[in-house]
Amino acid sequence: MEEGGLLDLTTNQIAERAGVSIGTLYQYFPTKEVILAEVSLNLRRSLLQNISRIIHGNSTKSLDEIMDILVKVAIDRLFDRPQLARALEYADAYLPLDEEVAALTEQFEAEIAGLLERHGIATPVLAGRNINAIARGMVDAASAAGETDRQALLVRIGRALRGYLAYSGDSE
């Protein structure tokens, strides 16, 4: 998927890369779309676990410090495997993942809302949803533009998030 692109990906290539026969692959995954859906969901689950670990493992850090760590994780996810990230974002648009993605997004936003609430943010659920949208939009835009400077993107997103919290009156 990363080398040739999503449209060129075949189940034969997947089976070969996985070291299994095509018949074995079809026993577990009847279509390429089912495989892509599972890869996408597994990456989202892994990201959610990582974010939860960061939020709950850094209770002595300031909100700004924790947000910077979280944004860095999101940026690294994109920059470490940019073709995969873009392919899966594209695949998510046509894969039947609505319920699963909604549940994972809800869990993610609940983690962020809990963090914001612990740091005295007045409207943590709304602020968490907005912070997610701001950061995700900026990461996606950077990806689409082919940006490669992780640190510059981290600084820009951090400014945007702190600015949002300060302007909305929801700061510490």
Side-chain angles (χ1 to χ4, degrees):
M1 175 167 29
E2 291 181 79
E3 295 84 26
L6 183 62
L7 297 177
D8 295 333
L9 181 67
T10 67
T11 51
N12 285 327
Q13 291 170 329
I14 295 169
E16 183 179 327
R17 180 87 181 249
V20 299
S21 73
I22 191 70
T24 298
L25 181 73
Y26 280 129
Q27 283 181 316
Y28 297 97
F29 303 100
T31 67
K32 175 174 75 170
E33 291 74 22
V34 172
I35 296 167
L36 292 172
E38 193 59 34
V39 169
S40 179
L41 289 171
N42 282 338
L43 287 172
R44 287 176 189 270
R45 288 181 195 114
S46 174
L47 181 61
L48 178 61
Q49 288 173 346
N50 197 13
I51 285 168
S52 181
R53 182 184 51 75
I54 290 165
I55 288 172
H56 298 288
N58 289 287
S59 59
T60 61
K61 294 190 183 213
S62 72
L63 179 58
D64 285 349
E65 290 172 315
I66 297 171
M67 284 194 322
D68 283 346
I69 294 168
L70 294 173
V71 171
K72 184 180 182 315
V73 166
I75 291 170
D76 287 347
R77 180 176 179 250
L78 168 72
F79 281 95
D80 288 346
R81 298 178 79 182
Q83 286 113 345
L84 177 63
R86 282 193 295 272
L88 291 175
E89 286 296 323
Y90 174 77
D92 283 353
Y94 73 86
L95 296 174
L97 299 175
D98 293 342
E99 288 180 27
E100 294 95 337
V101 169
L104 290 169
T105 299
E106 185 177 310
Q107 290 173 21
F108 170 77
E109 288 178 355
E111 289 284 355
I112 299 297
L115 169 68
L116 296 174
E117 186 172 37
R118 285 191 298 279
H119 285 273
I121 303 303
T123 56
V125 173
L126 176 61
R129 191 175 327 120
N130 289 339
I131 284 171
N132 183 32
I134 292 165
R136 184 175 178 141
M138 291 180 75
V139 168
D140 289 349
S143 172
E147 290 187 35
T148 59
D149 188 341
R150 296 176 193 216
Q151 187 58 36
L153 182 57
L154 176 64
V155 168
R156 288 196 327 265
I157 294 172
R159 284 182 190 148
L161 297 181
R162 284 186 278 285
Y164 164 77
L165 289 173
Y167 183 75
S168 69
D170 291 340
S171 59
E172 290 182 289

